[in-house]
Amino acid sequence: MHSETDWDALVSARALAAALGRDDLVVLDARSSLADQPGCEAAYRQAHVPGARFADLDRDLSDHRKRGGRHPWPEAADFTAALGRWGITPMHQVVIYDAGDGALAAARAWFLLRALGHRRVAVLDGGWARWIALGLPVEAAVPTPQPARYEAGFDADRLLDARQVQAHLQLGGLLLDARAAERFRGEIEPIDRVAGHVPGARNRPYADNLRDGRFKPAGELAVEFAAVLDGHAPQDLVVMCGSGVTACHHLLAMAHAGLHGAKLFTGSWSGWIQDPARPVARD
């Protein structure tokens, strides 16, 4: 394998197009929809980036046998088995895209790999929409990867449950919620049974990381997240959202900005409210 180019956060559509065919490159199509997930795989089978494998948010990037919110974090053995089916080893450069801005499953898949210690993994900036807008090549053929072996475990220090988040807040740590402001304030709740947010959390909608469907420049994001951190180290920040998926957009944006080590509340809001005794804030 060769590694003349390493991408560990974002990659442009033109750069990915130029790299297609590299023997160390695997592309994952992680298009997803809370309303019609089966339709996403059908769309993949009609057209995708050449060579891309399909990563399903519910089947491959979550474990619905477990409690822990609407998209429970999978076991390492299950996720590495999926990587093996896709032909991915720890040496591969992986690039992931979804239907638009990386906000849903692409950032989730990126952080799953990063939590395993996989360094060479990036999200396609602008996603499928950018690829199509530039008229870059697509194909309908579904690849048959050579099975691979991937052995690794998740970095447990970067994955927090509700009890650990409560302790983190009590120690003065920061909790950042990536949901839209009106959901955070509890004015609306289109998905979960309870509206509101974790007391002590702050809000930065994931869309604030974007401009015209692509990530803001690294320097600009570094300034914005420095304001969020307010003197804290990135390792003092835990991110959350509705179910632990769009929160990964903040982790990706921070990595793009050179800010590494923030953590994920895996169950996020849907996991927090599984226990009715936990407090809820609305403001």
Side-chain angles (χ1 to χ4, degrees):
M1 293 185 182
H2 51 84
S3 56
E4 66 269 21
T5 303
D6 287 350
W7 302 308
D8 61 6
L10 297 174
V11 59
S12 73
R14 294 193 188 280
L16 176 58
L20 293 179
R22 274 173 39 181
D23 58 5
D24 67 333
L25 175 68
V26 174
V27 180
L28 294 180
D29 182 317
R31 280 178 277 183
S32 57
S33 167
L34 297 180
D36 182 19
Q37 185 59 31
C40 294
E41 186 164 6
Y44 159 80
R45 292 180 177 278
Q46 292 176 354
H48 51 261
V49 172
R53 292 78 153 138
F54 185 72
D56 186 271
L57 174 60
D58 290 317
R59 182 181 64 236
D60 302 314
L61 310 181
S62 308
D63 185 352
H64 290 285
R65 299 169 300 182
K66 300 163 59 178
R67 283 176 57 85
R70 284 183 282 106
H71 292 102
W73 191 263
E75 295 295 328
D78 293 328
F79 183 59
T80 55
L83 295 175
R85 291 193 299 273
W86 296 323
I88 295 173
T89 73
M91 301 301 295
H92 277 94
Q93 170 70 67
V94 182
V95 174
I96 312 157
Y97 67 91
D98 61 24
D101 50 29
L104 198 56
R108 165 79 163 216
W110 172 86
F111 188 61
L112 277 159
L113 277 154
R114 290 305 294 261
L116 287 177
H118 196 108
R119 184 178 60 84
R120 301 174 66 217
V121 55
V123 168
L124 175 61
D125 194 13
W128 178 246
R130 176 72 174 166
W131 189 267
I132 293 300
L134 292 176
L136 295 171
V138 302
E139 68 178 15
V142 175
T144 305
Q146 181 69 32
R149 187 172 183 84
Y150 200 118
E151 293 185 358
F154 290 126
D155 180 356
D157 289 341
R158 298 193 70 185
L159 306 171
L160 276 65
D161 60 19
R163 179 187 56 79
Q164 292 168 315
V165 166
Q166 286 178 306
H168 172 77
L169 288 168
Q170 289 169 358
L171 292 172
L174 302 178
L175 179 61
L176 187 65
D177 193 318
R179 293 177 298 163
E182 59 271 22
R183 282 188 72 193
F184 176 80
R185 292 192 296 264
E187 296 168 5
I188 63 168
E189 183 43 67
I191 303 173
D192 293 306
R193 60 179 179 78
V194 177
H197 61 266
V198 176
R202 305 180 186 183
N203 182 224
R204 175 183 167 88
Y206 79 82
D208 288 356
N209 299 328
L210 303 168
R211 181 178 297 119
D212 298 326
R214 300 174 68 188
F215 281 79
K216 294 175 180 176
E220 190 172 340
L221 285 169
V223 170
E224 293 179 6
F225 275 99
V228 172
L229 291 168
D230 192 24
H232 290 255
Q235 295 83 356
D236 292 335
L237 181 68
V238 176
V239 298
M240 65 171 291
C241 57
S243 65
V245 177
T246 55
C248 296
H249 200 275
H250 279 338
L251 298 173
L252 176 59
M254 292 180 72
H256 176 50
L259 301 169
H260 301 281
K263 302 167 185 177
L264 175 67
F265 177 10
T266 55
S268 286
W269 181 244
S270 57
W272 181 265
I273 61 174
Q274 283 183 333
D275 183 350
R278 293 193 186 110
V280 170
R282 297 184 183 90
D283 55 51

